[in-house]
Amino acid sequence: VKLLYDKFELDTLPGRITLGVLVFQDVWAVAMLAVQPNLQDPALAPLALSFLKGVLLIVWSLSVSRYILPRLFRSAAKVPELVLVTALAWCFFLAAAASVVGLSREMGALIAGISLSTFPYNTDVIAKVTSIRDFFVTLFFVALGMEIPIPSGHLVLVALAASAFLVASRFVVVPILYTLRLGLRASLLPAINLAQISEFSIVIASLGLLRGQIDSSTVTVVVIVFAITSVTSTYLIGANHHIQHLSLIHI
């Protein structure tokens, strides 16, 4: 999203399609985090109950952010430092609430971020929390990397194959968008822009490792795929118009 913003393409049709798909991925990540604690007992009732708890937590948090949080932040805004403290308190509160009802704390924190984005003080909160966010993101990846053994050549080959499959799978949107008469440019650019794995996959994989749902080799593959596609997608997005032009020439 930042790359598209820097290229002034976020408000274009391909940029909006890209952003819409990314938001939809986040919705699926929330659903996965809701049912993940019960995957070891994949009966329909526990999974449905976990999903219902997640939906109710989202609805409740959005209601609070609409009717209560604006008044709270209006009072806290008189002291600038309280804005950041209040936002962090809300985040920790929802993380704890999610844990109490049997959901993951990560899901509660994600819902807290979604609810904070819906009221007028979100820009101020984002400006103040950026440095803290970057610090903890660094700690997360360092901690995750320390838990992963040195990959074997076989795992590296699997990760390379998974990365190639991931990039190729993104082009499935091209015929769909082209069938909707959006044109080749608006059909191809989103596929190029989406050629990376979501960071939520690492969160879900690491939680799965902690719960014994997957082994460390799977997490290693996911992390390597994330590293590969994050780097390659930077160059793909930077040259997306050139790639689209070359495709028109070959067609």
Side-chain angles (χ1 to χ4, degrees):
V1 170
K2 188 177 186 306
L3 287 171
L4 294 176
Y5 178 80
D6 292 340
K7 293 182 66 178
F8 303 101
E9 295 182 13
L10 199 56
D11 287 333
T12 63
L13 179 57
R16 293 187 178 189
I17 294 174
T18 302
L19 184 60
V21 173
L22 293 175
V23 172
F24 193 67
Q25 285 181 352
D26 294 347
V27 173
W28 276 107
V30 172
M32 183 62 192
L33 289 172
V35 302
Q36 192 172 12
N38 293 292
L39 286 181
Q40 290 177 318
D41 182 22
L44 180 60
L47 292 176
L49 181 60
S50 295
F51 186 75
L52 179 61
K53 289 178 180 178
V55 172
L56 292 176
L57 186 61
I58 292 174
V59 172
W60 179 80
S61 63
L62 291 177
S63 300
V64 172
S65 68
R66 180 179 179 84
Y67 299 107
I68 299 178
L69 284 185
R71 299 179 182 178
L72 181 62
F73 273 84
R74 197 175 299 118
S75 301
K78 298 176 183 178
V79 182
E81 291 79 6
L82 283 180
V83 175
L84 177 59
V85 174
T86 306
L88 291 177
W90 174 244
C91 176
F92 288 127
F93 173 77
L94 272 187
S99 180
V100 169
V101 299
L103 302 174
S104 65
R105 291 187 296 270
E106 290 78 7
M107 180 181 178
L110 180 60
I111 295 173
I114 295 173
S115 62
L116 285 175
S117 67
T118 61
F119 68 101
Y121 294 93
N122 64 331
T123 304
D124 192 31
V125 172
I126 291 172
K128 287 181 169 59
V129 83
T130 299
S131 58
I132 298 177
R133 179 198 62 191
D134 294 341
F135 174 73
F136 280 105
V137 165
T138 303
L139 286 183
F140 169 77
F141 285 114
V142 170
L144 185 63
M146 291 172 64
E147 296 177 1
I148 296 174
I150 298 176
S152 62
H154 172 70
L155 288 181
V156 173
L157 290 177
V158 171
L160 289 173
S163 301
F165 173 78
L166 185 145
V167 174
S169 67
R170 296 304 191 250
F171 287 90
V172 75
V173 305
V174 176
I176 297 175
L177 297 176
Y178 194 76
T179 303
L180 296 175
R181 299 181 180 179
L182 297 181
L184 183 60
R185 179 178 178 275
S187 302
L188 186 59
L189 288 181
I192 299 173
N193 296 338
L194 292 167
Q196 72 280 325
I197 195 172
S198 170
E199 67 276 10
F200 279 121
S201 62
I202 300 179
V203 176
I204 293 172
S206 61
L207 291 175
L209 178 62
L210 292 175
R211 294 189 173 101
Q213 297 166 345
I214 57 176
D215 56 20
S216 60
S217 61
T218 304
V219 181
T220 302
V221 170
V222 173
V223 173
I224 296 175
V225 172
F226 177 81
I228 294 172
T229 56
S230 294
V231 173
T232 55
S233 67
T234 302
Y235 295 99
L236 289 174
I237 294 175
N240 55 4
H241 291 284
H242 182 65
I243 297 173
Q244 183 257 336
H245 180 69
L246 289 178
S247 66
L248 286 177
I249 294 176
H250 290 294
I251 291 177

